Amino acid sequence: MDFFTKIDIPAADFKIDYTSRLAFFGSCFADNISAQFAERKFHVLVNPFGTVYNPVSLAGQIKAIADGKIFGEEDVFQDTRCDGLWHCWDAHSSLSGATKEECIEKLNAATAQARGFLQKADTAFITLGSAFVYYLKDIDKPVSNCHRQDPHLFERRLISVEEASQSIQKIVALLRDTNCNVHIVFTVSPLRHMSDGAHNNTLSKSTLQLAIHSTTIDYFPSYEIVMDELRDYRFYAEDMIHLSKTAEEYIFERMTETYCDSTTRENMAKVEKFLKMANHRIQDESSPATQELKKKLAAQALELEKQIPGLKLG
């Protein structure tokens, strides 16, 4: 008798290893999964303009990267209500600045770095979290971040399946225009947006699922893994909405089974073992034993880098 519904995930027709460059865009689930790869020393780019949940805003961000957009004064605004910072509707507050010039400089640096990475990327993972989009009422512009501005400035809409599909197709086209060799994988975030209410969350996720289904692209079933394999609140954090560390690690394990061959998974185990030892708390930095341990770790790091092509532990 089976008490566990395991999702069948076909093996991917491409593989990831330590020579791969992996780009992650989308919701906070993309941040969490990319961190799993980064912690194991893969080459990772994640959300250069900050976390974004809906496909319309994400398409706008990727267009800026693909076009090599040069941001200027017309792309930023000053928060005159609160702290006087300069922001961009298309970016997270980490790219905001105390001056207009600082904000623009951060935006252009992020664009240039992301475009350079994407041009050589092997795989782009796109995680969509919501089909609700905020629009500036005056100009009907979709925004990625409201920057805590007056709520009356915005209209919040649930986009249609067709609108979501058009944005997904735009994302794919832009990525392939930037790098014709990049593999593109979409997934739907399993994190529920309960602030929308249970029914609206279902409508939102269903819209994304149908839009992805209407487009011929690769799909990784992270949403289905949580809904069926991890159908238990013990796999959630204390807020009962976000996933626990155990759940994130399990989804990461399913991803590596799908996109990494046995050699790469063995190499990951070696890296994890080394990092566990390297991150061990040192009591006395100046002791002879500590100095000997540091020499041993340096030698092991060099040996691992020789054994595993593409690995950089420094």
Side-chain angles (χ1 to χ4, degrees), residues 75-88:
D75 298 303
V76 299
F77 70 94
Q78 188 176 25
D79 182 356
T80 57
R81 298 175 64 222
C82 187
D83 51 20
L85 290 176
W86 288 80
H87 305 290
C88 174

Side-chain angles (χ1 to χ4, degrees), residues 239-304:
D239 63 4
M240 297 299 158
I241 294 174
H242 290 83
L243 299 181
S244 68
K245 187 70 172 175
T246 300
E248 291 174 2
E249 289 175 351
Y250 178 75
I251 295 171
F252 174 74
E253 182 182 313
R254 296 301 310 273
M255 290 187 76
T256 59
E257 291 172 354
T258 304
Y259 300 108
C260 301
D261 62 20
S262 58
T263 299
T264 300
R265 294 198 296 273
E266 289 169 5
N267 287 337
M268 287 168 55
K270 293 177 184 177
V271 171
E272 289 170 6
K273 182 178 179 181
F274 169 80
L275 292 175
K276 185 175 181 180
M277 182 166 58
N279 293 330
H280 185 74
R281 182 179 297 176
I282 293 175
Q283 299 294 333
D284 184 359
E285 285 280 350
S286 61
S287 71
T290 297
Q291 299 309 309
E292 187 62 31
L293 175 62
K294 287 184 175 181
K295 290 179 182 178
K296 181 180 177 182
L297 290 172
Q300 288 186 3
L302 285 174
E303 183 59 29
L304 270 179

Side-chain angles (χ1 to χ4, degrees), residues 17-305:
D17 59 25
Y18 274 99
T19 66
S20 302
R21 293 163 68 88
L22 313 176
F24 293 83
F25 296 95
S27 73
C28 53
F29 181 74
D31 295 327
N32 296 339
I33 292 301
S34 65
Q36 296 280 348
F37 282 98
E39 287 169 5
R40 291 160 177 84
K41 301 300 180 180
F42 282 81
H43 307 289
V44 169
L45 169 76
V46 56
N47 282 333
F49 289 120
T51 306
V52 61
Y53 297 91
N54 72 81
V56 175
S57 298
L58 180 55
Q61 289 185 353
I62 292 179
K63 178 172 172 54
I65 296 168
D67 292 348
K69 177 176 178 174
I70 303 299
F71 286 84
E73 293 185 5
E74 68 280 4
D75 298 303
V76 299
F77 70 94
Q78 188 176 25
D79 182 356
T80 57
R81 298 175 64 222
C82 187
D83 51 20
L85 290 176
W86 288 80
H87 305 290
C88 174
W89 294 121
D90 298 322
H92 186 262
S93 57
S94 59
L95 298 180
S96 299
T99 65
K100 173 172 52 181
E101 292 75 18
E102 180 188 359
C103 182
I104 292 171
E105 182 179 352
K106 285 183 177 182
L107 291 165
N108 286 326
T111 303
Q113 180 193 15
R115 191 166 192 271
F117 191 99
L118 270 182
Q119 287 173 332
K120 299 178 181 178
D122 298 277
T123 306
F125 289 98
I126 312 295
T127 302
L128 303 178
S130 175
F132 282 98
V133 184
Y134 282 89
Y135 290 83
L136 275 172
K137 287 180 180 178
D138 288 351
I139 56 177
D140 200 37
K141 169 187 167 59
V143 301
S144 299
N145 196 307
C146 295
H147 296 292
R148 300 181 180 179
Q149 297 303 294
D150 186 345
H152 294 98
L153 294 174
F154 308 99
E155 178 188 2
R156 188 167 179 267
R157 301 181 210 155
L158 176 66
I159 59 174
S160 67
V161 173
E162 182 180 1
E163 289 174 301
S165 179
Q166 288 172 351
S167 293
I168 289 169
Q169 292 173 38
K170 184 177 180 181
I171 290 168
V172 172
L174 289 165
L175 289 173
R176 289 185 174 150
D177 284 346
T178 307
N179 178 351
C180 62
N181 295 315
V182 69
H183 299 285
I184 304 170
V185 180
F186 276 78
T187 190
V188 171
S189 170
L191 276 65
R192 296 164 298 154
H193 290 215
M194 295 307 288
S195 58
D196 296 325
H199 181 59
N200 280 334
N201 174 74
T202 300
L203 290 175
S204 173
K205 299 292 187 183
S206 299
T207 297
L208 298 175
Q209 293 279 10
L210 288 168
I212 291 172
H213 180 71
S214 70
T215 309
T216 307
I217 47 178
D218 288 338
Y219 177 74
F220 180 77
S222 56
Y223 182 86
E224 291 78 3
I225 289 171
V226 172
M227 294 300 105
D228 285 286
E229 294 189 27
L230 306 182
R231 195 191 303 170
D232 192 310
Y233 274 107
R234 62 186 165 143
F235 295 112
Y236 286 82
E238 290 182 359
D239 63 4
M240 297 299 158
I241 294 174
H242 290 83
L243 299 181
S244 68
K245 187 70 172 175
T246 300
E248 291 174 2
E249 289 175 351
Y250 178 75
I251 295 171
F252 174 74
E253 182 182 313
R254 296 301 310 273
M255 290 187 76
T256 59
E257 291 172 354
T258 304
Y259 300 108
C260 301
D261 62 20
S262 58
T263 299
T264 300
R265 294 198 296 273
E266 289 169 5
N267 287 337
M268 287 168 55
K270 293 177 184 177
V271 171
E272 289 170 6
K273 182 178 179 181
F274 169 80
L275 292 175
K276 185 175 181 180
M277 182 166 58
N279 293 330
H280 185 74
R281 182 179 297 176
I282 293 175
Q283 299 294 333
D284 184 359
E285 285 280 350
S286 61
S287 71
T290 297
Q291 299 309 309
E292 187 62 31
L293 175 62
K294 287 184 175 181
K295 290 179 182 178
K296 181 180 177 182
L297 290 172
Q300 288 186 3
L302 285 174
E303 183 59 29
L304 270 179
E305 289 178 347

